[in-house]
């Protein structure tokens, strides 16, 4: 079923230049291994302890696994994982960038998290803050803003999803047009199991998919 689900997802991606990230936070190391063996080498976790455990469990695999951290990252936990991940999708405050600057031993690929929907339960910057925040990040040479990330409300309608993802795309293009070396902002991390198809239509370049990979229905 897992391989069939992946085939279905990849068929929807089609010829688009999109990175499929398998979110493995709800499955064990063996299932994660099966995902990798099925050809998916971009894996994501959202908790520091689970991430470190999973990475260790899969350390004997080929070194081409790309690890993505997609959850809220507490400042005190930065030192534990920042040199272990390939991508951070949740740069949601300037103080986090400051801590990354202190702890990272190389430039880190980061997505600036933007709260397009305005939900209080979600972290991230308000859309109106993004340009100023990007300017503020110039002082941190260990932070490279490769793109923007957002999460849509679980109950958003297709029309709302198009609006949310479209707004993030417009913000991304605005930042990219500035041609900043520390914030090339060419990527869009948006779309999860329930809404990745609409995210693809709106220009997503990274989609974070979990349930749709493992669902046995």
């Amino acid at each position: 079923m897992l391989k069939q689900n992946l085939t279905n997802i990849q068929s929807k991606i089609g010829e688009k230049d999109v990175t499929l990230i398998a979110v493995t936070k709800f499955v064990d190391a063996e299932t994660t291994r099966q995902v990798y063996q099925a050809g998916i080498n971009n894996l994501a976790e959202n908790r520091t302890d689970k991430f470190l455990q999973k990475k260790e469990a899969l350390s004997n695999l080929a070194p081409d696994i790309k690890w993505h951290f997609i959850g809220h990252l507490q400042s005190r936990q930065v030192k534990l994982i920042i040199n272990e991940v390939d991508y951070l999708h949740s740069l949601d405050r300037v103080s986090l960038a400051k801590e990354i600057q202190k702890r990272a031993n190389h430039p880190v690929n980061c997505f600036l998290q933007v709260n397009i929907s305005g939900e209080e339960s979600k972290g991230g910057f308000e859309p109106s803050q993004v340009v100023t925040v990007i300017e503020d990040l110039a002082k941190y040479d260990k932070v490279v803003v490769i793109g923007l990330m957002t999460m849509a409300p679980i109950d958003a309608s297709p029309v709302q999803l198009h609006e949310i993802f479209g707004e993030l795309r417009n913000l991304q293009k605005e930042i990219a047009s500035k041609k900043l070396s520390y914030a090339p902002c060419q990527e869009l991390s948006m779309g999860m199991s329930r809404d990745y198809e609409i995210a693809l239509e709106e220009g997503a370049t990274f989609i974070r998919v979990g349930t749709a990979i493992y669902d046995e229905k």
Side-chain angles (χ1 to χ4, degrees), residues 59-73:
S59 62
N60 63 329
L61 293 179
D64 65 336
I65 291 179
K66 300 296 184 185
W67 286 103
H68 301 250
F69 193 83
I70 60 174
H72 174 73
L73 181 58

Side-chain angles (χ1 to χ4, degrees), residues 14 27 34 37 40 52 59 76-77 82 88 108 112 128 132 140 160 164 192 195 200 213:
V27 299
Q34 293 172 18
Q37 292 171 339
I40 305 301
L52 292 170
S59 62
R76 62 184 176 84
Q77 295 177 324
I82 202 60
L88 174 69
V108 180
L112 198 74
S128 61
T132 300
Y140 304 117
Q160 291 171 322
I164 290 168
M192 301 165 69
D195 55 25
L200 289 171
I213 294 175

Side-chain angles (χ1 to χ4, degrees), residues 5-44:
N5 287 344
L6 284 171
T7 297
N8 291 340
I9 295 167
Q10 289 167 325
S11 70
K12 291 171 181 175
I13 294 174
E15 298 300 315
K16 296 182 178 71
D17 185 14
V18 173
T19 298
L20 169 59
I21 304 168
V23 178
T24 58
K25 62 182 181 178
F26 293 128
V27 299
D28 59 17
E30 178 53 35
T31 302
T32 303
R33 187 185 306 273
Q34 293 172 18
V35 171
Y36 171 78
Q37 292 171 339
I40 305 301
N41 71 334
N42 284 272
L43 307 176

